[in-house]
Amino acid sequence: DKTRALVFDTPSNNTGVYQGAATRLEKDHVQNKVCWCGCRHHTSELVLKAVFKRLFGKSTSPDYPLFKQFRDETWMTLDLSLPVVNLTIRDDWEVQQRERVIADLTYYLTVPNSKKLLPRDDYAEAARLTLHVLGAPVPGGFSWRRPGAVHRARFGAVILYSSKIFLLQGQLKYDSLVMAKIERIVRFCCLIYTSHWLKSSIGADAAFNDLQLYQNLHTYSEIDNPTCEAALKSLQRHLWYLTEELVIF
């Protein structure tokens, strides 16, 4: 058998010790040890899901109610030509992290065949919105896109909607508590998460990127400990990604 690796999402029905699909494939069909490669996009989504839940509480709705209201009721009332609010950078580490993120996202948007890095328009929009929030030039210029799907299964929905709400907050009437939470999740996404998420599908770098995320979260915990605590708790369920065999690739 030439099978050397299995790639899969990481719920227990795939990774279970006895009845997981990957476990049974390895034992009953491949019959030799293979490299397990969990989907990094899936893992990254779980990290942001945990952060959002920590800030906004648990919800059983298939959609994000705040984002649905913004799309259906608020968006059409906004003047998109007015100035926006940029993220305030507060210390030396944030200054350095901002520059790293700007360099990464600018590269993703300008590299030849950028569709390989940003295969969906949503991914490119997340990169452009993040640059706009950080007050950085957006390659090709910035333009608004009308909000789309708001269901929790949509990759990147939290990045897209929270960034738009933050940028346009001068025209919104959300209370100060909601806006404080929006700012926290936008700061987390811009400085820690978005760049990681956009490169999480690069197989050769995935384990290194996970390790870098882990280190960044520990540093950022001095700025927003509850947010990082939720993110680290989620990431630590998947530390088997960070093996020596994967990091060397």
Side-chain angles (χ1 to χ4, degrees):
D1 195 311
K2 297 181 180 180
T3 304
R4 294 293 178 265
L6 299 174
V7 181
F8 46 82
D9 285 351
T10 57
S12 59
N13 61 327
N14 283 338
T15 61
V17 175
Y18 300 108
Q19 297 298 322
T23 304
R24 297 193 65 177
L25 277 171
E26 184 178 56
K27 179 181 178 181
D28 300 336
H29 298 283
V30 180
Q31 296 182 345
N32 60 271
K33 293 292 184 180
V34 297
C35 179
W36 281 21
C37 298
C39 174
R40 269 55 173 202
H41 260 153
H42 171 74
T43 305
S44 297
E45 284 290 310
L46 293 178
V47 170
L48 188 57
K49 180 180 177 181
V51 171
F52 191 87
K53 180 180 176 182
R54 171 63 64 91
L55 292 176
F56 289 91
K58 186 177 181 180
S59 174
T60 58
S61 171
D63 297 326
Y64 292 100
L66 175 64
F67 300 157
K68 188 174 189 299
Q69 185 273 337
F70 176 78
R71 181 195 66 182
D72 296 344
E73 301 176 24
T74 305
W75 180 257
M76 65 187 69
T77 70
L78 299 173
D79 183 348
L80 303 180
S81 67
L82 293 178
V84 298
V85 177
N86 297 122
L87 190 67
T88 300
I89 302 301
R90 302 179 297 195
D91 61 31
D92 291 343
W93 182 84
E94 287 192 355
V95 170
Q96 295 172 6
Q97 190 68 6
R98 174 183 180 273
E99 295 305 313
R100 284 192 286 267
V101 170
I102 290 172
D104 283 348
L105 298 185
T106 301
Y107 174 77
Y108 301 159
L109 290 167
T110 57
V111 66
N113 299 319
S114 61
K115 278 289 186 180
K116 291 183 179 181
L117 277 173
L118 306 173
R120 293 173 47 175
D121 289 342
D122 284 357
Y123 297 3
E125 185 184 12
R128 292 189 177 98
L129 280 167
T130 299
L131 288 172
H132 203 37
V133 171
L134 292 173
V138 179
F142 179 81
S143 59
W144 293 101
R145 293 186 68 200
R146 184 179 179 84
V150 293
H151 51 76
R152 296 177 186 272
R154 182 188 185 188
F155 274 2
V158 171
I159 301 171
L160 301 179
Y161 278 95
S162 60
S163 296
K164 288 174 180 176
I165 290 173
F166 181 83
L167 285 163
L168 297 165
Q169 62 183 277
Q171 302 181 58
L172 305 177
K173 297 181 180 179
Y174 297 124
D175 64 50
S176 58
L177 180 60
V178 170
M179 287 312 307
K181 292 177 180 179
I182 287 291
E183 180 175 348
R184 287 173 68 185
I185 203 160
V186 166
R187 187 176 298 276
F188 173 80
C189 287
C190 286
L191 297 178
I192 300 292
Y193 180 79
T194 302
S195 179
H196 168 82
W197 177 68
L198 290 175
K199 60 187 175 184
S200 61
S201 61
I202 305 174
D205 297 336
F208 172 79
N209 292 335
D210 284 343
L211 180 60
Q212 187 176 58
L213 173 64
Y214 186 80
Q215 293 170 337
N216 284 338
L217 287 172
H218 274 286
T219 302
Y220 193 71
S221 65
E222 297 180 8
I223 297 171
D224 190 344
N225 184 261
T227 294
C228 286
E229 185 180 69
L232 282 167
K233 186 175 180 180
S234 175
L235 183 62
Q236 284 169 347
R237 297 191 186 103
H238 303 86
L239 286 184
W240 53 271
Y241 288 156
L242 304 179
T243 62
E244 293 178 0
E245 290 84 356
L246 283 180
V247 172
I248 62 173
F249 282 123

